[in-house]
Amino acid sequence: MIGRILITIVFLQFVSSQTFQDDNILNGQLTVVVEDNLGDSSSNAEAGSLDEERWTERTVINIHSVKLGQSQISHTRQWNSELLKTLKKLALKNDFYKLRLHQKNGREPRYVQTFTDACLLYTGGLSETLTVMVDGSPSVAGVPEQTVVSASLAVPTARFCDLADVNGEALRNGHNTTLQLRTPSAATPPDTATFIQKLESMNKEKTENKDNRSFFAKYWMYIVPIVVILVISNGGQEGGGR
Ligand SMILES: *[C@@H]1O[C@H](CO)[C@@H](O)[C@H](O)[C@H]1NC(C)=O
């Protein structure tokens, strides 16, 4: 029993130290710059270079904790009627609205790109859900580092493209961004609290239920012969005494 408790304690400490490490990796500050491209991708698909020049910084995301989903979004570009017109042009052409993200860490930016249907974004009144996947991995120096590995852009309020039925006010207000932070499933910290609870209740059940319930059932083969022997020997002694 004591051995089992000791093993459990050692195991729990191991689990909590593991979680602590993951916390360190996924809790640091992270600044992500979001740029968009309202360029027409069909007309200069071959040139490529023109499109590249059209990227403009749009939003800055300050991530405080990936694990707790704590972040702050600020749209650094003033949304205006000109931009709205350009987006509508894209929507009419059935083109894409393109987005790219990079981390602000003083190094050469490594871009992660995503896109959504321009017409869906327009129909949905610019209410978008941006999902950013952040992975924590030890860098060369051994210091844990967070990396934006991928991103996706969705417009949950628009199910199909309908330029006739749009929310003009929302479109004038500009981007309404809901941010979702994700980690790849392999790097997701284990749900330790639930696991410990389960372990504890399992142990409790074992000690409370199983042992009490099955004591006689388990040892009847020893108890019964002892009782029989006692009864017989008692009987024998009593018989001998008379
Ligand atoms: C912003 O987006 C959210 C989620 O899509 C939506 O519930 C909310 O109504 C939107 N707000 C405005 C002002 O459009």
Side-chain angles (χ1 to χ4, degrees), residues 178-227:
T178 306
L179 182 71
Q180 287 186 335
L181 294 171
R182 293 279 181 271
T183 51
S185 53
T188 305
D191 186 2
T192 335
T194 314
F195 182 71
I196 289 170
Q197 262 176 13
K198 212 171 160 186
L199 205 72
E200 274 172 354
S201 68
M202 262 164 64
N203 272 348
K204 223 178 185 180
E205 226 170 90
K206 258 187 204 158
T207 49
E208 276 180 3
N209 273 339
K210 204 179 153 208
D211 282 358
N212 281 354
R213 179 172 44 82
S214 63
F215 181 77
F216 190 76
K218 234 176 174 175
Y219 301 112
W220 67 269
M221 65 282 260
Y222 305 113
I223 294 164
V224 168
I226 288 168
V227 169

Side-chain angles (χ1 to χ4, degrees), residues 124-129 156-157 167 170 173 176-178:
L126 295 168
S127 285
E128 55 184 18
T129 300
T157 47
N167 182 344
N173 283 340
N176 168 23
T177 310
T178 306

Side-chain angles (χ1 to χ4, degrees), residues 11 38 54 57 100 107 115 125 130 141 178 205 208 231:
F11 176 72
L38 289 160
R54 301 227 197 181
E57 183 179 316
R100 73 178 187 184
R107 274 176 273 160
F115 62 89
L130 178 62
T178 306
E205 226 170 90
E208 276 180 3
V231 167

Side-chain angles (χ1 to χ4, degrees), residues 69 75 84 149:
H75 297 300
L84 184 58
V149 285

Side-chain angles (χ1 to χ4, degrees), residues 103-146:
Q103 276 165 264
K104 213 174 183 173
N105 53 12
R107 274 176 273 160
E108 184 139 343
R110 287 224 313 260
Y111 293 104
V112 164
Q113 290 203 22
T114 183
F115 62 89
T116 194
D117 187 82
C119 189
L120 279 185
L121 187 62
Y122 196 87
T123 308
L126 295 168
S127 285
E128 55 184 18
T129 300
L130 178 62
T131 307
V132 177
M133 194 174 272
V134 179
D135 199 2
S137 61
S139 72
V140 188
V143 182
E145 194 179 3
Q146 299 175 110

Side-chain angles (χ1 to χ4, degrees), residues 31-68:
T31 303
V32 179
V33 178
V34 181
E35 298 172 352
D36 70 359
N37 188 327
L38 289 160
D40 185 336
S41 61
S42 53
S43 69
N44 51 331
E46 278 169 69
S49 57
L50 246 173
D51 230 16
E52 248 162 68
E53 286 161 22
R54 301 227 197 181
W55 292 104
T56 38
E57 183 179 316
R58 195 203 96 170
T59 304
V60 171
I61 304 167
N62 277 304
I63 299 170
H64 306 300
S65 167
V66 175
K67 207 182 156 212
L68 302 175

